[in-house]
Structure formats: C-alpha cells, structure tokens
Amino acid sequence: QVARAGRVTFSVGDFGQPLIAMEENLYDEFGNYIGPEIEDEDDDDEDEEWQDGLGEDGEDRGRGDGDGDDGAMDVEKEKGADREIILHEDKKYYPDADEVYEGAEAIVQMEDTQPLTDPIIQPVRSKNFDHLEKKMPDTTFDFNFLAGMMDKPNLIRNISLVGAMHHGKTLFMDMLVMNTHEKDWKINKEVRYTDSRTDEQDRGLTIKASSMSLVLQDSREKSYLFHIMDTPGHSNFQDEVVAAMAISDGIVLFVDVIVGLTVHMERMMKHALQEKMNIVLVVNGLDRLVVELKLPPTDAYHKLRYCIEDINETFEKLYDTVGTEVDSRTYFSPLKGNVLFCSSLFRMMFTLDSYAALYAEIYDVAFDPKQLAQCLWGDLYFNQETGKFQKNPPDADQPRSFVQFVLEPIYKVFAHCIGEEKEDLASTLAEIGIYLHKRDYDLDARSLLKQVFQHFFGPGGGLSSFIDMVVTHIPGPKDNAVNKVERLYSGDQEGAVAADMKNLDHTGYLMVHTVKNYHRPDCNAFDVFGRVLSGTLFRGDRVKIFGEAFSLDDDEDMTIREVQNLWIYEGRYRVEVSHVPAGNWVLIGGIENSIKKTSTITTASNDEEVEIFRPLRFPTSSVIKVAIEPLQPAELPKMVDGLRKVDKSYGLAKTKVEESGEHVICGTGEVYLDCILHDLRRLYGDLEIKVADPVVEFCETVVETSSLKCFAETPNKKNKLYMVAEPLEKGVGEDIEKGKVKIDWDNRRISDFFTKSYDWDLLAARSIWAFGPEDNGPNVLVDDTLPSEVDKNLLKQSKESLVQGFQWATKEGPLCDEKIRSCKFKILNAQLAEDAVMRGGGQIIPTARRVAYSAFLLATPRLMEPVQFSEIECPADCVAAIYNVLSRRRGHVVRDLPKPGSPMYVVHAYLPAMESFGFETDLRTHTSGQAMCMTMFDHWQLVPGDPLDRSILLRPLEPAPAPHLAREFMLKMRRRKGLSEDVSVHKFFDDPMLLELAKQDAELQQYF
C-alpha cells in the first residue's frame, strides 16, 4: 500500500506486489526515471486536475490531502505564496522613493550627465601625506608663556641647523623635541620628528626645511625662546638651506667627525659668510670613533683635533674668498666655547664648560669649573702628585687632560654597557651615581647606552650645554637687526622703514620677509612662512604684499589681502596666536594667492616708500630638466594647477612651457626632480603623468670675434644698426651673476671694476649699457660708437629699445633657443631717423635682436653644457672602479686622497650633467654599494665640436663621437622644441647682409 505521506509499506507475505507498484511510480509512461513523488500540499485547481489524470493512487493522495481542518489550509496557502515565480523585472529589492520620502517630487533624467568613470557617490579621500599630531601635545612649557616670550627680543634666538646629509641634524632636533614634549617616547626608535612628510620618512632624508619654536632652559635654568629650523643635508636641496639662512641670525654647523667638512658644506658656509652669519660648530658622531673605528682614546683625541683644525683651515680660505676683515673672523675652538661634542644617535652632548661643571658637581670641591674647562684641551697634562696641570707629560704614558678626563670616562661607559652582565653593570653604574630601572637592563646595547648617557650628562643628555653655547655665541634678533637689514633690504637704508627694522621696533612700521610656503594638510592651499623684522603682525590686519617683481616704478606685483590666521609653526602641529611681534618667525594663513617664492609684507595703511627684500640668491643653478604631460589629456588643467603649486613649494624649481607646447620642469638634480614629480602626482595634482627622459639646459656662446661688421635695417628702411659679437673675458659672466658688479651702480664705479679687475680700457668700461638677459645676466652690451659718426642724442633716445632687443636676443639664442652666455655685443654704428615715430620700439627692438643674432652667428658660435662636481667617498679598493665609471661618462677625476684617521678615500671629479643621469646607481653597482657620492652644479664648459658643421652625419642608435656632440645636441634640442631642422641663415640676415657675405666669400676664394 502507498501511504498518505508517500512512503511505501509492505508485509513479508505480500513482498512482491508493493515493490512493483513503487517501481512503476518512479518512471513516466515513456520509461524516463522521474524519482519518487514529492508531497505537495497546495490545494489549487491545477493540482487537482493533474492528480485526476494520475489514476487510483493519485486520487487516494488527492483525497488524503483534502483531509484536515480549514485553519491548516490557510497556513499552507501562505507558505505557497512565497514560492511564486516572479520575473526579474518585477522584483523589488528596495522601497520606492515615494514610500521613503512621502510627498517628494521625483525627477527622472533621460540621460546620464555623470561620466561612467565617476562613481555615483564620490568616496571621501583624505590625503595622508604628513605625520601630524591629532591633538595638541603636552609640553614642558605653556604655549601662553611661549607667546609672552615673543615680546622679549633679548631672550629669543633664531637658528638653523645646517650640515651634510646624515650628519645628525634631525636626530639632534629629536633630542630637543623629546626634552620639551611629554610623550611616551620609545627609547629604541628614531622618531625624526621634523621629517613630518611620509616620503621623508620613507626615503630617510629631509626634503623640506622644518621649523620648531621651543622654550629651552640653560644651565642656570633661565628660559629662552629658540626658533630652530632643521634643514636638508642633500646637495640638491640648497634652496631650503638658503631660505632658512635668510631668516636666521646664526647657524649651528653639524660636522660628522669621521667625514669632516664636505664640499657641499663648504659652499653653503661660503654663502653664510657672505651673509655675515654667526656660526657655532657641533662635532657629531663621537660614538663612531668608539663603535665603528674602534680608535683608542688618544687617537680619538687626535682625530677630533684634526677635524676642528681642518674646518678652521677651510674657513680661512673662505674668509679670504669672501673678503672678510681679519678682526671679524671667527674660528672654532673648544676653549672658546663655540664647539659642542655630540652623539645624536646616543643622545649625548657636552662642551668643555659643561664637562668641567660635571666634575665640580660630582667631587664637590671648591674650584672654578671655568678654569678647569680651559685645561681640558690641547697639550696639557694633569700631574697627580702636585694636583696641577702642566705642559709636559709627568710620565711617558701619561694621556692628555682631554683624554684622561673627558674621553676615558665615555669609553669606559661604552665598554661596561656593551661588555658587562646585568648584575655587574648595575654595581658599576651605581659607583658613578647612575641607577636605572630593572627593565632598562633588558634593552639592547644602543638603547641602554642612551639611558645611561641621559643620566650621565643630565637632562636631555646635556642639552643645557647646547643652549649655553648658542646664547653666548649667536646674537639675538635685536643685536643682529642692523646686519640683517643691510643684507636683505633693497630699499633706502637711511629711511624711516629701515630705521624701524634696525631698531627692531615693535610699534614701528610692519615689515615681514616671507621665504617659504608650507602646504596645508589637504594640499589645496599654502601658508606663508617668514620673519617679522619690525612692527607687530595682528590677525585680521589688511596688508600689502609685494612680490619679487615689485619696484617703485612698477607696482603691478602688489596686492592687498587680509591676514586670516597666524600660527607658530611646530613641525607636526601649529599653535594659533593673535599677534606676532618683531624678531619672531610666523606662519601666515589666507594670503598665499599672490605669493610665488618670496615676498615682502607691510600694512595697507603704510604710506612710506617701501621696497622689497631681495629675492633669495642661490649658490647653484637648476640645470636638469624633464618634460611632462598628463596621461589623460583632459587632466591638463589639473596638471598646470599642480605645477603652480610645485613652483610655490620648491625654491629652485622652474616651470615653463616650450613653444612646442610641452611643459618643462627644471631642478637641481635627480632626487630633487623625483620629489617634485612625486608631489605633482600625489599631493598637488592627484593624476598620472608621463615623463620624458631627463635632459639638461644648454647655453650658447662664441669663441671668436665676428668675422664681419654685421648690420640690419628696420622694416621701414629708415634706421640701420651695426654690431659685432666677441667672447667675454673668463670670469666676467660669473662675477655679474654673483652680484660683484651691478648695472644699477653709477658709471664710475662700474668702469673702475672692469678696468681694475679685467684691464678694460676706460672708454669701453664707461660705455657699458646693459647686462643680459636679466640685470645680472652674463652678457654685456657696449656702446662702441664714435660721436663723429653717430648722433649720440638720437642713440640715447633709442637706448631702451636697443637694450630690450639685446636682452631678448640673449634670452633665446639662434642655435636652439637657449640662453646666450659670456658674450660681449658692441654697437659700432647706428643710422637713426630724425623723426621719433620712425624709430619707435616696434622698429628698433626686433632689428636690434636680429643684428645681435647675425653678429653672434659670424663669431664662431658654440654650445656650452653644465658640468657637475661630484664628491665620492669610498674604501681604498674601490677607487679604480670609480675611474672606470667616470671615463665612460666623459668625466675626469680632479684628485683622490685618503681621509686621515679613517679607512675611506675621497675622490673629487667633474662630470658633464648630460652624463650624470643614473651615475649614482652605476657607481653603487660597480663598487658593490660601498661608494657614496654627492653631486652638484659647478660650472659651464664648451661642448666639443661645431654645432653648425653640416658635413657631420649622425647615425641613429649609435653614440656620436666627441667632435660630433655639439651638432647632435643642437639638432635634438631643436627637434624637441619644435623648431626647424637646422639654423636658417635667411632668418637672421638681411638681403644686403647676405650679399656682403657672398662678396667676402668670393674675395677669400681668390687667395686659395
């Protein structure tokens, strides 16, 4: 029998029959297997009809299903409703808008106005490119107290930490931060607090100069307000160091005791001495003498002494170069107190005075620590029997006083901490009054030493010794105000504005010099960083902002804005203040739109004749350039806006658009450009860009005098100009660029300079009209006309137009639109129309440019390329590999010499900038990573070969031999800029001039 539930029941007696019935139900009438029946409790008409057709068993089952009460039937129906088949388009996943927002009007868009690439709801993007404090940190001083100290100029010091890369500036800054910020600082972790950008932390080098303002106490617990700028040590970022120097009163020079003063630092110090900065020395890396070189204490003393003497010798040469008077020269000596010995890594520092004070404190003997300090350096020895210091050693093996009293205790601390077991070390340290926590003994050796030195030298590892040194040897803003104003202010030094700045008058005219722009965390806007030189800047002030192009004659680069915010900048956070008095550094918000690089700010109500602070002068040039374009052409406006921001952020970056339409960025080196491109892609642009292979800037010059007196007529045929070009004496161009001679001096002073320095005749020296392409450009325009031949009055009236034509010509030379360099253009004759209308600017300027070009092309033109100086440090066995790498790149070694007291060699080499791409990687590959190089722009040199020699055939994909380089560079440059394939003579010569050339050629042919 088939039961109601569809199960099969049977008894033993009738075993066969139910089995046959069951098997029949498993197959349909065609013999297809359909499986056992599934119980279906739906009671609708369709089911009944279907069951009627099944026969007896089906009827049975149908009747069985019908049994039961009505309530159960309703439930069964509801269950069935859930299983109804609903078409995909009829399904309803979410409630309608009418159900959620009753009475709201629904607008249907017939076509999608939003691009498919954009998500319907944009995700919220936060730019995490900076490590910032989430809330104001706890500090050992109150910020109100800091704000109050800003009114006391005699308690303020503005300093910059300057030194070569990895010489310990940022770690030293960490010591100051840890001493003033109450935080859970991990002893075994390098924080690098002022490296607040993510890429700075990733690269392990400082990219941006970062400022902090801290209240620090000296050894007598007197508080001072220190504005400190931590600067990059990499040679590519010289602009950051120069900007920091412009607003500082003094420099703390960091020198690694093993490496010594690098060439890059020599150049920065030369700039500092030109700016008359006060300098103190920090000899860093004491630990390296013990841990790396493992020098005995006596040798370590000689190494330290040699390091300081070597720095003094270098400074002697720099003083001579700069021309500093003998009386105002400063040299470093631990006895003077302007040298600090330090180990940033192990967080310890001391001067001789602070070390002597330690002895006075420990032994509690009534002696003057100042006198002891004077005996702790030099060839002085302590006599144990007499208890006095003497110049001759009492015993043969008696160490010098510095070794005995200073170095040996430090060496012993190193030895015990590294070599002793926990129990022995605790008892040893207890003897010198150092008691550490139990968990400190479980730290690694480096962290343990840090803890010991913290206790050994006092708070912050002897931080008060640094404060004492800076307070003593670096003047406050009031004492240094006169020097600062004379160096920076371009206006009248005797006027009321200059007088207020020299007196650092808080109530006088407001004058602010801004040198840097820091981006906000969202990277959409910038805040301006600078120094208040006089007056007091209040939040909400209406101020006039003068850009670098402002002058009393041309006030176009001037805007009026309202100061929205004032902050004290603290690296990873900002402290908002209501006003900032003179002598302090300040971060200003809300005025950045009109500022590009540097600016001068004064109050809008100031009616005095205010001139600008001089733009920053850098001791290097941006000679390496890359062309860029956005991956998506539609993102071009975004990229242009990003380039504008890059221009503000990087002092030495130059951005321009070539005539071919390509955007070009110029920078000082590969790392510099890499940082710019990172910022453009991530911070300021948020777009993908294509970057061309890097190239360099070239210059054009001449090596002979023009073979012919060149002339050109104005388009109206009423005026005629005659000119020749010849090379300038070596060194003149550099002197003009460095500002040793200026065109705005009076005539007598200029002529004195050229007659004395370069033996020019008096007439030529007094006839100098202009330098080009700018006022400090390395080309000279000379009026060499004779009054008997030329109407000098007419010529003077057209002087401005002639100078403009000359400057236009020198800005874009005829060979490949690059600047002309080291050229002297002489005006020999000029036939000018009497009528002023006939000799207007529109006639004279293009003609002057054309005649300058023709004179240039007839004076044997040549290309010049930038050459970089590279200082390479490596072990002795790698020197040969360096020679090989340089020889393959047209470079040459100037000298190589061993570094005294260390196993390293230093190699000085010159390398054309064009060949410098990938040089550092190449160097590391060939020396197994042992060589370290620092490369910077040095000078310009001629490219071998004639760029106009058409007989040279350049084969693609083959390196050109040296004599063909100039031609190759010129042609490739012209192609890149979208110029015609070769220099066209007809473009720069008039027809009469071409006839003259042909005639001269014919005359020459007669002699051959």
Side-chain angles (χ1 to χ4, degrees):
Q1 289 178 349
V2 179
R4 263 198 332 161
R7 289 190 295 270
V8 177
T9 58
F10 49 85
S11 62
V12 179
D14 51 7
F15 184 77
Q17 195 161 351
L19 187 62
I20 294 160
M22 185 181 75
E23 280 181 358
E24 280 178 4
N25 287 340
L26 293 180
Y27 298 92
D28 64 6
E29 62 265 39
F30 303 109
N32 297 317
Y33 177 75
I34 57 172
E37 288 293 340
I38 296 166
E39 179 186 0
D40 193 358
E41 295 175 356
D42 288 353
D43 193 21
D44 47 7
D45 299 337
E46 287 181 17
D47 284 355
E48 282 180 19
E49 286 172 16
W50 175 70
Q51 285 168 351
D52 286 343
L54 280 177
E56 201 172 348
D57 289 340
E59 283 171 17
D60 259 356
R61 213 164 31 246
R63 277 198 298 276
D65 286 349
D67 294 343
D69 61 303
D70 295 338
M73 282 293 294
D74 291 345
V75 174
E76 298 298 338
K77 276 185 182 176
E78 281 175 22
K79 280 185 183 175
D82 287 346
R83 297 181 188 170
E84 281 180 33
I85 295 171
I86 300 169
L87 294 174
H88 172 69
E89 54 267 26
D90 296 336
K91 284 184 180 173
K92 188 173 176 186
Y93 293 105
Y94 304 106
D96 290 339
D98 300 339
E99 293 171 37
V100 180
Y101 307 104
E102 287 182 22
E105 184 188 357
I107 298 169
V108 180
Q109 278 186 343
M110 297 313 291
E111 73 182 58
D112 196 353
T113 55
Q114 196 172 2
L116 283 173
T117 51
D118 292 358
I120 294 169
I121 298 169
Q122 289 281 6
V124 178
R125 281 193 179 178
S126 58
K127 294 191 174 183
N128 298 325
F129 299 119
D130 297 289
H131 294 274
L132 302 174
E133 296 283 1
K134 293 183 173 61
K135 59 182 176 57
M136 283 296 245
D138 297 325
T139 51
T140 55
F141 54 86
D142 187 44
F143 287 116
N144 292 325
F145 179 65
L146 184 149
M149 286 193 74
M150 294 200 299
D151 291 316
K152 309 277 187 297
N154 56 326
L155 299 178
I156 297 171
R157 294 293 182 274
N158 299 318
I159 57 171
S160 295
L161 309 185
V162 177
M165 191 165 76
H166 300 324
H167 280 205
K169 302 175 295 299
T170 306
L171 289 182
F172 187 87
M173 198 75 168
D174 278 356
M175 293 161 75
L176 303 178
V177 174
M178 288 172 183
N179 198 46
T180 51
H181 289 63
E182 294 167 342
K183 221 175 170 186
D184 182 22
W185 302 108
K186 289 185 172 60
I187 192 83
N188 56 355
K189 193 181 175 200
E190 290 177 6
V191 182
R192 305 215 311 274
Y193 195 83
T194 44
D195 285 356
S196 56
R197 289 167 50 124
T198 312
D199 57 335
E200 286 179 323
Q201 291 282 350
D202 294 344
R203 288 173 191 270
L205 73 106
T206 308
I207 294 169
K208 292 283 170 199
S210 187
S211 141
M212 292 199 78
S213 300
L214 305 168
V215 176
L216 299 164
Q217 291 183 323
D218 66 2
S219 54
R220 292 170 302 165
E221 297 194 352
K222 183 178 180 181
S223 292
Y224 289 88
L225 172 57
F226 272 51
H227 297 297
I228 311 169
M229 186 79 89
D230 175 31
T231 62
H234 197 286
S235 60
N236 281 4
F237 301 101
Q238 293 182 21
D239 48 354
E240 299 289 324
V241 185
V242 170
M245 284 185 191
I247 55 173
S248 303
D249 294 312
I251 286 172
V252 180
L253 173 62
F254 279 74
V255 176
D256 189 291
V257 64
I258 295 180
V259 179
L261 200 65
T262 61
V263 174
H264 169 224
M265 270 306 107
E266 278 181 38
R267 296 188 178 190
M268 296 321 299
M269 287 305 103
K270 183 180 175 184
H271 181 81
L273 296 179
Q274 284 169 340
E275 298 296 316
K276 297 185 177 171
M277 305 287 285
N278 299 278
I279 304 170
V280 293
L281 176 65
V282 173
V283 177
N284 203 350
L286 276 188
D287 56 282
R288 296 185 68 188
L289 297 176
V290 188
V291 180
E292 284 181 35
L293 294 187
K294 298 183 173 61
L295 293 180
T298 309
D299 291 2
Y301 164 75
H302 286 299
K303 178 67 180 157
L304 286 164
R305 186 171 176 174
Y306 171 79
C307 178
I308 295 168
E309 284 173 0
D310 186 46
I311 292 167
N312 283 332
E313 278 177 30
T314 307
F315 267 73
E316 179 76 41
K317 291 178 200 158
L318 294 176
Y319 280 129
D320 291 341
T321 314
V322 173
T324 312
E325 293 172 13
V326 178
D327 299 341
S328 50
R329 297 183 179 189
T330 310
Y331 296 105
F332 303 113
S333 166
L335 297 170
K336 285 184 184 174
N338 60 359
V339 176
L340 180 88
F341 298 100
C342 169
S343 166
S344 298
L345 197 63
F346 287 93
R347 297 184 193 163
M348 57 173 255
M349 63 185 95
F350 61 89
T351 56
L352 294 187
D353 287 339
S354 74
Y355 217 104
L358 276 178
Y359 276 107
E361 197 181 299
I362 291 167
Y363 289 104
D364 217 9
V365 186
F367 67 84
D368 182 9
K370 296 273 182 198
Q371 280 185 323
L372 174 61
Q374 294 301 306
C375 302
L376 288 180
W377 187 257
D379 296 329
L380 287 172
Y381 303 84
F382 182 65
N383 191 324
Q384 204 84 32
E385 293 167 5
T386 61
K388 291 182 178 176
F389 289 91
Q390 58 190 54
K391 291 192 175 178
N392 300 317
D395 302 319
D397 56 349
Q398 173 78 11
R400 287 174 175 78
S401 57
F402 183 78
V403 176
Q404 185 179 350
F405 292 104
V406 178
L407 288 181
E408 283 188 354
I410 292 172
Y411 267 71
K412 283 173 183 170
V413 169
F414 268 103
H416 286 297
C417 288
I418 291 170
E420 281 194 356
E421 290 299 322
K422 183 174 169 181
E423 290 76 19
D424 301 339
L425 180 59
S427 59
T428 309
L429 292 176
E431 286 175 30
I432 52 171
I434 294 175
Y435 302 96
L436 298 180
H437 196 281
K438 277 183 184 177
R439 65 171 172 269
D440 289 341
Y441 291 105
D442 298 329
L443 293 167
D444 60 280
R446 183 184 287 183
S447 306
L448 177 62
L449 277 162
K450 285 179 190 174
Q451 288 285 40
V452 171
F453 285 129
Q454 291 275 343
H455 290 78
F456 188 77
F457 286 106
L463 196 56
S464 56
S465 58
F466 170 69
I467 312 303
D468 288 340
M469 177 179 76
V470 170
V471 167
T472 310
H473 294 280
I474 289 179
K478 194 173 181 79
D479 302 330
N480 198 43
V482 174
N483 172 43
K484 261 294 170 244
V485 175
E486 285 172 357
R487 301 299 307 168
L488 293 174
Y489 188 54
S490 63
D492 179 14
Q493 294 289 335
E494 307 301 321
V497 174
D500 279 353
M501 287 193 285
K502 286 176 180 176
N503 296 328
L504 202 79
D505 191 346
H506 286 197
T507 57
Y509 292 108
L510 173 70
M511 289 296 283
V512 183
H513 181 208
T514 74
V515 293
K516 276 187 64 56
N517 302 302
Y518 288 106
H519 65 248
R520 295 251 178 104
D522 62 359
C523 299
N524 288 333
F526 283 85
D527 298 314
V528 185
F529 188 78
R531 172 171 170 164
V532 184
L533 284 133
S534 68
T536 303
L537 181 62
F538 287 89
R539 186 171 57 222
D541 274 358
R542 280 180 64 73
V543 291
K544 283 183 198 165
I545 301 162
F546 305 120
E548 292 183 355
F550 174 85
S551 67
L552 293 175
D553 307 324
D554 177 15
D555 63 352
E556 188 183 346
D557 196 1
M558 189 268 285
T559 51
I560 294 179
R561 291 270 188 280
E562 187 177 306
V563 175
Q564 291 176 1
N565 303 90
L566 293 177
W567 293 283
I568 302 298
Y569 194 47
E570 299 279 8
R572 295 192 179 187
Y573 63 98
R574 302 164 176 205
V575 181
E576 188 145 10
V577 289
S578 60
H579 67 282
V580 178
N584 292 284
W585 295 353
V586 61
L587 189 66
I588 310 166
I591 60 167
E592 88 285 350
N593 285 347
S594 50
I595 298 172
K596 193 176 174 190
K597 304 275 190 194
T598 66
S599 73
T600 306
I601 298 174
T602 185
T603 45
S605 55
N606 188 351
D607 296 327
E608 290 286 328
E609 280 196 349
V610 176
E611 292 192 47
I612 61 166
F613 294 105
R614 291 187 185 92
L616 299 177
R617 232 197 211 112
F618 302 108
T620 187
S621 303
S622 299
V623 292
I624 293 176
K625 59 182 185 180
V626 290
I628 59 168
E629 60 173 315
L631 201 61
Q632 308 288 340
E635 292 186 317
L636 183 63
K638 208 183 200 182
M639 189 185 83
V640 171
D641 183 51
L643 285 174
R644 243 180 246 120
K645 289 175 180 172
V646 161
D647 217 13
K648 283 186 179 190
S649 180
Y650 290 85
L652 267 169
K654 290 189 292 189
T655 56
K656 59 182 179 183
V657 184
E658 299 283 10
E659 280 186 20
S660 60
E662 68 179 2
H663 292 263
V664 173
I665 305 176
C666 300
T668 51
E670 287 182 272
V671 176
Y672 193 85
L673 284 170
D674 194 43
C675 293
I676 286 178
L677 294 173
H678 166 272
D679 286 6
L680 186 59
R681 286 188 177 109
R682 307 281 304 284
L683 273 70
Y684 306 134
D686 191 22
L687 75 159
E688 274 306 312
I689 51 176
K690 287 191 281 188
V691 182
D693 288 339
V695 287
V696 299
E697 284 197 339
F698 289 94
C699 280
E700 303 175 20
T701 190
V702 296
V703 290
E704 292 173 11
T705 308
S706 301
S707 57
L708 197 65
K709 185 162 85 170
C710 299
F711 60 87
E713 278 184 330
T714 53
N716 63 8
K717 309 287 189 217
K718 303 285 184 190
N719 311 283
K720 205 171 187 181
L721 301 174
Y722 294 82
M723 198 181 273
V724 291
E726 60 183 59
L728 265 181
E729 291 83 349
K730 196 174 180 184
V732 178
E734 285 75 12
D735 282 354
I736 298 170
E737 284 180 321
K738 286 172 185 167
K740 289 185 180 176
V741 57
K742 294 178 180 171
I743 198 65
D744 49 14
W745 288 357
D746 59 73
N747 246 356
R748 184 179 292 277
R749 194 175 167 193
I750 294 175
S751 67
D752 283 352
F753 176 84
F754 278 97
T755 48
K756 286 176 186 170
S757 304
Y758 293 102
D759 295 331
W760 282 33
D761 65 79
L762 198 61
L763 188 64
R766 287 197 175 170
S767 306
I768 293 173
W769 268 14
F771 300 148
E774 292 93 24
D775 288 342
N776 63 335
N779 302 288
V780 181
L781 178 65
V782 179
D783 171 22
D784 213 16
T785 56
L786 298 171
S788 56
E789 295 177 359
V790 176
D791 187 339
K792 286 281 187 180
N793 286 332
L794 288 178
L795 193 62
K796 274 187 182 164
Q797 287 169 20
S798 299
K799 177 179 174 179
E800 199 174 312
S801 297
L802 286 163
V803 167
Q804 277 184 311
F806 154 75
Q807 290 189 327
W808 185 11
T810 50
K811 191 177 180 185
E812 298 170 352
L815 295 181
C816 49
D817 262 9
E818 295 286 316
K819 288 179 182 174
I820 290 176
R821 184 177 184 82
S822 295
C823 246
K824 185 203 291 183
F825 291 92
K826 289 182 179 175
I827 302 170
L828 299 180
N829 199 345
Q831 296 164 10
L832 298 168
E834 295 286 336
D835 189 356
V837 177
M838 295 295 182
R839 51 183 165 80
Q843 298 287 333
I844 300 290
I845 294 172
T847 308
R849 174 180 177 238
R850 203 164 67 251
V851 73
Y853 280 164
S854 55
F856 180 90
L857 288 169
L858 290 181
T860 320
R862 289 284 183 269
L863 272 185
M864 292 184 96
E865 64 178 344
V867 176
Q868 296 198 317
F869 176 86
S870 189
E871 185 178 31
I872 306 158
E873 192 182 296
C874 64
D877 57 346
C878 292
V879 176
I882 288 167
Y883 274 83
N884 291 337
V885 173
L886 282 163
S887 62
R888 283 205 303 274
R889 292 173 171 265
R890 292 197 293 130
H892 65 277
V893 173
V894 184
R895 60 176 186 162
D896 61 61
L897 62 162
K899 197 169 265 300
S902 80
M904 306 301 276
Y905 255 71
V906 175
V907 179
H908 289 171
Y910 286 122
L911 177 73
M914 193 70 183
E915 310 286 342
S916 70
F917 308 122
F919 170 64
E920 198 167 341
T921 312
D922 212 8
L923 200 63
R924 297 253 173 90
T925 309
H926 283 80
T927 59
S928 308
Q930 296 177 88
M932 167 82 185
C933 78
M934 199 54 82
T935 309
M936 64 215 90
F937 168 75
D938 191 85
H939 63 275
W940 295 88
Q941 77 174 18
L942 291 173
V943 181
D946 180 2
L948 297 177
D949 183 357
R950 298 190 179 203
S951 64
I952 292 172
L953 288 173
L954 298 171
R955 292 183 169 79
L957 303 177
E958 274 186 32
H964 297 180
L965 281 173
R967 178 77 176 162
E968 183 188 33
F969 289 161
M970 187 193 80
L971 291 181
K972 286 183 176 175
M973 184 78 67
R974 290 183 72 85
R975 272 180 220 145
R976 193 162 46 244
K977 291 187 174 184
L979 304 172
S980 57
E981 184 68 18
D982 211 340
V983 180
S984 164
V985 178
H986 298 280
K987 191 175 174 185
F988 304 118
F989 294 96
D990 290 354
D991 289 341
M993 184 74 209
L994 287 168
L995 289 170
E996 189 75 26
L997 273 171
K999 190 173 161 188
Q1000 191 191 36
D1001 264 347
E1003 286 173 3
L1004 281 170
Q1005 291 300 324
Q1006 292 173 6
Y1007 296 102
F1008 295 106

